[in-house]
């Protein structure tokens, strides 16, 4: 397995070089986001561009979002032991700058659009209404030009999306903007776990110290050998003997020089193996403390996930309008730019707040590519505290068929929809089944859904999904992606089956020792080309140092039979055995099955009953495929979350 990890690391480095080369030969003028000079130049030049229309900003936003995604992907795909603090700071800084600049550009474009409101007014209502849709954003803008106190229901383009506004807004020079970004640039970026960096750096330092000590010892040994040979050569006077001794000295010197190279290579492999082991173990490590420094009504982002992007709700002061004058269009441009209308005002004085400034009813459309297994919750952004909160929101109702959510909001600002990240945990069952050479199907069944994932070589794909036993279509189906990109896409679609180190605080789990669990996943991945594995109810009853699962040889490409003949294996990390009981036995027993033996690995265990064809498939498995299967098992944690 260590050799596979080394190959994977080498392959990842080669892939990064290929990506850089591909970007270089494209010559499309786009910057390399990993190069600070290029991305800083791009940001500076775009800041200098002014008076861009909304359509122009949308066109540029595609490149900006692509750059942001590339930087996030680099941070996710790079092994933690290869990430330097300054690189993380640089990349996250670039991401934040791009996000902030993009939103500023949308604000400026909105101001330019609102200056023309009077020329874009609707003939029937006399007010301006504009809807601009794109794959990444949807803009709804309404400008109150007529100030009709009876016009208090704002609906966009004959849809139910819109607002119910109070009288004071219906008679004010304001504009309402709903900017739905299908991405989330509001939630703070998650920091790289420092515990992982500290842990891996400790291992790295230990192995490097060992390497230095060994090099010093070898150097000292070489000096002693040279000194000894010089003394011997000086004591010999005969020319023939002297030549012979010199030849021996050269051979010995050569062997001593070769020895440190071999030993150093072994140490480097040990270093890689130890750091990879540490990184994988920390994927399975549970946090010791639950996040506790939360404000009242603050959303716990370890428990909940934002889905469907962010809805930027704004009440804006209507800017001065364009006026025709002698064939020209004259407009007053305010120095302070686009201004927000404060609602409710900071001082109400003679007004009764509840009567004059009631909450505003908002109706939003839920993004079509997101799955909510329960009615979504609404959260608003607290700009001061820099977190999502659930207060100030009331009367929430959700129409699942129309995908419309309505609620009352006390103050405007960014709003998002949230769902419990662990709604599909713990799993009810799981199965890993071969489909073909270097191709498997991972099925995870939860209380709400059945998710099937195909894995081949270094790619993953959503094969199918059933929600409440009904087929559900998703744009992710049939799209092959790298494991990291695939996992990110599933989470953003609401299909989260990937526990974090805090998940055990919110889900009842079947705790397993991380080292045992990790070794089981790695060895299951090694055998996955020829063997199917599945959930066993006995895994709940064995102790935390052991795992129990079903296994059977599977060489056919067709669908599995209804009641296959499964064997039960128990594995402790360093010992594997076949159990005497089966899945339908009355009680659990660790008794060894007759005519079977204990083995140190699953590989040697299955050799006892595997066919030659199955073993040949295992031996011919692709290292990329094994790594991808192992990675998916490590992140789904089917042995402890089922």
């Amino acid at each position: 397995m260590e050799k596979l990890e080394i190959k994977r690391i080498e392959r990842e480095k080669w892939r990064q070089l290929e990506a850089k080369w591909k970007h270089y030969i494209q010559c499309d003028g786009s910057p390399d986001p990993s190069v600070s000079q290029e991305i800083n130049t791009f940001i500076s030049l775009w800041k200098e561009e002014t008076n861009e229309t909304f359509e122009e900003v949308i066109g540029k936003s595609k490149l900006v979002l692509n750059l942001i995604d590339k930087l996030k992907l680099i941070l996710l795909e790079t092994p933690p032991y290869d990430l330097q603090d300054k690189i993380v700071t640089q990349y996250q800084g670039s991401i934040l700058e791009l996000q902030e600049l993009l939103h500023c550009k949308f604000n400026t474009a909105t101001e330019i659009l609102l200056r023309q409101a009077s020329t874009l007014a609707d003939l029937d209502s006399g007010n301006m209404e504009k809807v601009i849709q794109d794959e990444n954003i949807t803009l709804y803008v309404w400008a109150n030009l007529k100030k009709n106190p009876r016009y208090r229901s704002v609906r966009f383009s004959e849809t139910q999306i819109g607002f119910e506004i109070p009288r004071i807004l219906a008679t004010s020079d304001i504009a309402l903007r709903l900017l739905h970004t299908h991405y989330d640039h509001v939630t703070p970026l998650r920091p790289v776990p420092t515990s992982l960096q500290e842990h891996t750096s400790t291992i790295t330092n230990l192995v490097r110290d060992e390497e230095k000590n060994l090099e010093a010892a070898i150097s000292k040994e070489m000096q002693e050998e040279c000194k000894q040979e010089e003394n011997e050569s000086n004591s010999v006077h005969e020319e023939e003997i002297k030549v012979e001794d010199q030849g021996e000295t050269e051979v010995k010197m050569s062997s001593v020089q070769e020895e440190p190279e071999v030993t150093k290579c072994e140490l480097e492999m040990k270093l890689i193996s130890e750091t990879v082991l540490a990184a994988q173990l920390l994927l399975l490590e549970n946090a010791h403390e639950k996040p506790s420094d939360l404000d009242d009504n603050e959303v716990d982002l370890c428990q909940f996930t934002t889905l469907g992007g962010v809805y930027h709700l704004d009440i804006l002061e209507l800017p001065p309008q364009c006026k025709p004058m002698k064939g020209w269009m004259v407009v007053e441009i305010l120095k302070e730019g686009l201004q927000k209308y404060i609602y409710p005002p900071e001082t109400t004085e003679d007004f009764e707040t509840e009567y004059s400034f009631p909450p505003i009813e908002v109706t939003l459309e839920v993004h079509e590519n997101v799955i909510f297994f329960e009615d979504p919750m609404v959260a608003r952004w607290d700009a001061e505290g820099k977190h999502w909160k659930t207060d100030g929101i009331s009367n929430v109702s959700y129409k699942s068929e129309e995908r419309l959510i309505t609620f009352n909001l006390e103050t405007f600002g960014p709003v998002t929809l949230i769902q419990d990240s662990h709604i599909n945990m713990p799993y009810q069952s799981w199965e890993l089944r071969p489909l073909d050479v270097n191709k498997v199907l991972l099925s995870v069944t939860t209380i709400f859904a059945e998710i099937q994932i195909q894995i081949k070589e270094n790619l993953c794909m959503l094969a199918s999904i059933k929600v409440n036993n009904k087929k559900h279509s998703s744009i992710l189906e049939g799209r092959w992606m790298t494991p990291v990109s695939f996992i990110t896409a599933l989470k953003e679609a609401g299909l989260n089956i990937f526990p974090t180190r805090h998940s055990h605080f919110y889900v009842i789990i079947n705790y397993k020792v991380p080292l045992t669990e990790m070794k089981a996943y790695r060895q299951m991945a090694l055998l996955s080309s020829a063997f199917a594995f599945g959930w066993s109810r006995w895994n709940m009853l064995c102790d935390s140092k052991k795992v129990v699962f079903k296994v059977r040889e599977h060489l056919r490409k067709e669908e599995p039979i209804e009641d296959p003949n499964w064997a039960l294996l128990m594995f402790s990390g360093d010992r594997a055995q076949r159990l005497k009981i089966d899945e339908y036995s009355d009680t659990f027993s660790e008794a060894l099955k007759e005519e079977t033996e204990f083995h140190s690995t699953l590989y040697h265990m299955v050799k006892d009953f595997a066919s030659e064809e199955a073993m040949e498939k295992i031996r011919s498995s692709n290292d990329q495929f094994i790594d991808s299967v192992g990675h998916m098992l490590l992140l789904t944690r089917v042995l402890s979350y089922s």
Side-chain angles (χ1 to χ4, degrees):
M1 293 303 293
E2 282 74 15
K3 290 182 179 179
L4 290 176
E5 293 296 340
I6 292 168
K7 284 185 179 180
R8 185 189 69 80
I9 292 168
E10 291 175 348
R11 186 174 64 250
E12 179 61 27
K13 289 179 179 178
W14 180 252
R15 189 192 64 78
Q16 290 177 1
L17 289 173
E18 279 187 327
K20 284 184 175 293
W21 174 249
K22 184 178 180 181
H23 174 81
Y24 177 75
I25 62 176
Q26 276 181 342
C27 296
D28 58 358
S30 63
D32 182 347
S34 63
V35 180
S36 59
Q37 294 89 342
E38 292 190 27
I39 199 70
N40 290 338
T41 301
F42 172 81
I43 291 172
S44 298
L45 291 175
W46 197 25
K47 283 181 178 178
E48 294 175 0
E49 295 180 23
T50 57
N51 298 325
E52 293 173 287
T53 64
F54 218 95
E55 288 77 8
E56 289 173 336
V57 175
I58 286 176
K60 195 68 168 281
S61 70
K62 291 179 172 58
L63 172 59
V64 175
L65 293 173
N66 187 27
L67 295 175
I68 292 172
D69 288 342
K70 282 183 178 179
L71 287 171
K72 288 182 176 179
L73 197 60
I74 292 173
L75 290 173
L76 288 171
E77 288 188 335
T78 305
Y81 43 82
D82 279 347
L83 277 176
Q84 299 177 3
D85 288 340
K86 64 178 183 179
I87 294 297
V88 174
T89 303
Q90 174 194 322
Y91 289 175
Q92 290 190 336
S94 297
I95 291 171
L96 292 173
E97 277 195 80
L98 288 169
Q99 290 177 347
E100 184 180 351
L101 180 57
L102 180 59
H103 193 67
C104 286
K105 289 289 185 178
F106 279 134
N107 284 341
T108 304
T110 301
E111 181 184 5
I112 293 172
L113 179 62
L114 288 176
R115 288 181 199 149
Q116 308 168 37
S118 57
T119 62
L120 300 173
D122 180 70
L123 295 177
D124 295 330
S125 66
N127 297 316
M128 187 273 275
E129 176 189 310
K130 185 76 172 179
V131 178
I132 300 176
Q133 288 185 310
D134 182 68
E135 58 181 318
N136 297 314
I137 70 107
T138 304
L139 173 72
Y140 301 92
V141 178
W142 177 80
N144 189 15
L145 300 173
K146 285 295 184 180
K147 296 185 268 305
N148 185 347
R150 291 177 295 179
Y151 194 91
R152 298 167 63 176
S153 181
V154 179
R155 292 291 179 265
F156 293 98
S157 299
E158 299 180 354
T159 68
Q160 297 184 53
I161 301 169
F163 312 92
E164 292 292 332
I165 60 176
R167 180 185 179 88
I168 191 167
L169 291 182
T171 57
S172 300
D173 283 323
I174 56 110
L176 299 175
R177 180 180 73 167
L178 164 55
L179 175 61
H180 180 198
T181 59
H182 303 169
Y183 48 83
D184 180 3
H185 286 176
V186 176
T187 304
L189 299 174
R190 292 181 181 270
V192 175
T194 54
S195 60
L196 180 59
Q197 293 174 340
E198 291 169 1
H199 193 74
T200 52
S201 63
T202 301
I203 293 175
T204 303
N205 292 335
L206 287 173
V207 178
R208 284 177 178 168
D209 288 343
E210 186 178 340
E211 183 180 332
K212 289 178 181 178
N213 294 337
L214 186 63
E215 286 179 349
I218 291 171
S219 177
K220 184 177 180 181
E221 183 181 346
M222 287 176 62
Q223 291 175 3
E224 290 177 355
E225 288 282 348
C226 292
K227 187 175 182 180
Q228 182 180 351
E229 293 300 333
E230 286 177 4
N231 292 336
E232 288 178 1
S233 62
N234 290 335
S235 63
V236 178
H237 301 287
E238 297 176 2
E239 186 67 26
E240 291 181 2
I241 298 176
K242 184 177 180 181
V243 171
E244 186 176 328
D245 286 344
Q246 286 177 347
E248 290 178 0
T249 303
E250 290 174 1
V251 171
K252 289 180 180 179
M253 286 286 290
S254 175
S255 65
V256 172
Q257 287 173 353
E258 288 175 3
E259 185 179 346
E261 291 300 322
V262 175
T263 311
K264 187 175 180 180
C265 181
E266 290 175 354
L267 279 171
E268 287 177 353
M269 290 182 68
K270 182 179 179 181
L271 171 63
I272 293 173
S273 177
E274 291 292 334
T275 49
V276 167
L277 177 65
Q280 291 188 341
L281 279 175
L282 281 166
L283 286 175
L284 304 177
E285 186 181 78
N286 293 328
H288 299 299
E289 295 182 0
K290 183 179 179 180
S292 57
D293 55 341
L294 299 177
D295 293 344
D296 293 340
N297 301 306
E298 180 183 346
V299 175
D300 182 358
L301 291 178
C302 291
Q303 182 179 4
F304 295 96
T305 303
T306 64
L307 291 177
V310 176
Y311 302 85
H312 297 267
L313 303 175
D314 297 294
I315 306 176
L316 305 170
E317 293 182 1
L318 200 60
Q321 297 298 293
C322 295
K323 297 178 181 178
M325 186 177 293
K326 298 181 179 180
W328 293 81
M329 293 298 290
V330 179
V331 62
E332 178 186 356
I333 299 177
L334 301 177
K335 185 178 180 181
E336 57 271 19
L338 193 64
Q339 294 295 301
K340 291 187 177 181
Y341 181 93
I342 306 301
Y343 180 91
E346 296 176 355
T347 58
T348 55
E349 295 182 354
D350 300 332
F351 299 99
E352 295 180 11
T353 305
E354 291 184 4
Y355 176 77
S356 301
F357 304 99
I360 299 173
E361 182 182 293
V362 181
T363 301
L364 304 175
E365 184 178 29
V366 177
H367 198 291
E368 61 182 352
N369 297 329
V370 174
I371 300 176
F372 282 96
F373 296 97
E374 293 180 342
D375 289 358
M377 298 169 61
V378 184
R380 65 172 184 86
W381 179 248
D382 181 358
E384 185 177 347
K386 302 294 182 185
H387 48 234
W388 295 104
K389 301 187 73 172
T390 55
D391 61 342
I393 300 165
S394 59
N395 299 334
V396 180
S397 64
Y398 179 56
K399 298 179 180 178
S400 56
E401 293 295 327
E402 296 89 343
R403 300 184 67 83
L404 293 172
I405 187 164
T406 302
F407 54 91
N408 289 347
L409 191 62
E410 292 180 5
T411 57
F412 268 33
V415 165
T416 191
L417 306 180
I418 59 175
Q419 179 171 254
D420 189 340
S421 303
H422 311 95
I423 197 166
N424 283 307
M425 302 176 203
Y427 320 131
Q428 292 186 323
S429 66
W430 61 272
E431 182 180 298
L432 180 70
R433 176 165 54 90
L435 293 178
D436 205 342
V437 179
N438 295 320
K439 189 175 183 180
V440 298
L441 181 73
L442 175 62
S443 301
V444 177
T445 303
T446 74
I447 191 171
F448 290 106
E450 180 185 346
I451 302 168
Q452 294 191 331
I453 300 168
Q454 283 190 22
I455 307 169
K456 69 172 184 180
E457 296 183 351
N458 65 329
L459 298 172
C460 302
M461 178 191 74
L462 180 63
S464 71
I465 176 173
K466 290 182 180 178
V467 178
N468 296 324
N469 295 319
K470 294 181 181 179
K471 182 76 171 66
H472 182 89
S473 60
S474 170
I475 61 167
L476 298 179
E477 287 184 53
R479 292 173 54 187
W480 289 100
M481 291 178 271
T482 60
V484 172
S485 299
F486 176 74
I487 290 167
T488 302
L490 274 191
K491 287 181 178 180
E492 290 177 350
L495 300 173
N496 188 5
I497 52 171
F498 308 100
T500 67
R501 58 195 305 265
H502 292 97
S503 294
H504 65 286
F505 290 118
Y506 311 102
V507 182
I508 298 174
I509 70 169
N510 181 21
Y511 175 75
K512 298 297 177 182
V513 172
L515 185 60
T516 300
E517 194 177 355
M518 184 206 67
K519 286 184 176 180
Y521 294 145
R522 291 172 65 165
Q523 295 186 34
M524 286 162 62
L526 183 65
L527 304 173
S528 60
S529 284
F531 285 86
F533 298 89
W535 171 86
S536 170
R537 67 190 183 107
W538 302 121
N539 189 44
M540 291 285 292
L541 297 181
C542 67
D543 63 54
S544 62
K545 296 179 181 178
K546 300 170 184 176
V547 293
V548 176
F549 46 84
K550 299 184 296 186
V551 63
R552 67 183 176 90
E553 186 176 302
H554 185 91
L555 301 177
R556 302 181 305 276
K557 298 180 183 179
E558 64 266 19
E559 290 293 319
I561 57 178
E562 285 294 323
D563 190 17
N565 185 22
W566 293 96
L568 278 182
L569 297 188
M570 186 168 71
F571 183 58
S572 65
D574 52 14
R575 191 171 80 164
Q577 69 180 86
R578 186 170 179 179
L579 297 179
K580 183 178 180 179
I581 60 171
D582 61 28
E583 193 66 14
Y584 306 104
S585 299
D586 294 331
T587 58
F588 176 69
S589 170
E590 294 187 5
L592 186 69
K593 186 175 176 62
E594 299 87 348
E595 301 180 358
T596 64
E597 300 176 350
F598 292 106
H599 290 278
S600 59
T601 67
L602 294 179
Y603 176 83
H604 293 94
M605 180 74 252
V606 300
K607 280 182 71 177
D608 284 353
F609 55 88
S611 66
E612 183 57 37
E613 183 183 356
M615 298 310 297
E616 181 58 35
K617 274 194 170 185
I618 292 170
R619 285 189 287 268
S620 61
S621 294
N622 184 290
D623 62 292
Q624 289 182 312
F625 163 75
I626 295 172
D627 180 67
S628 296
V629 175
H631 188 67
M632 193 61 63
L633 290 173
L634 278 167
L635 291 178
T636 52
R637 299 189 64 181
V638 292
L639 291 173
S640 58
Y641 276 79
S642 295

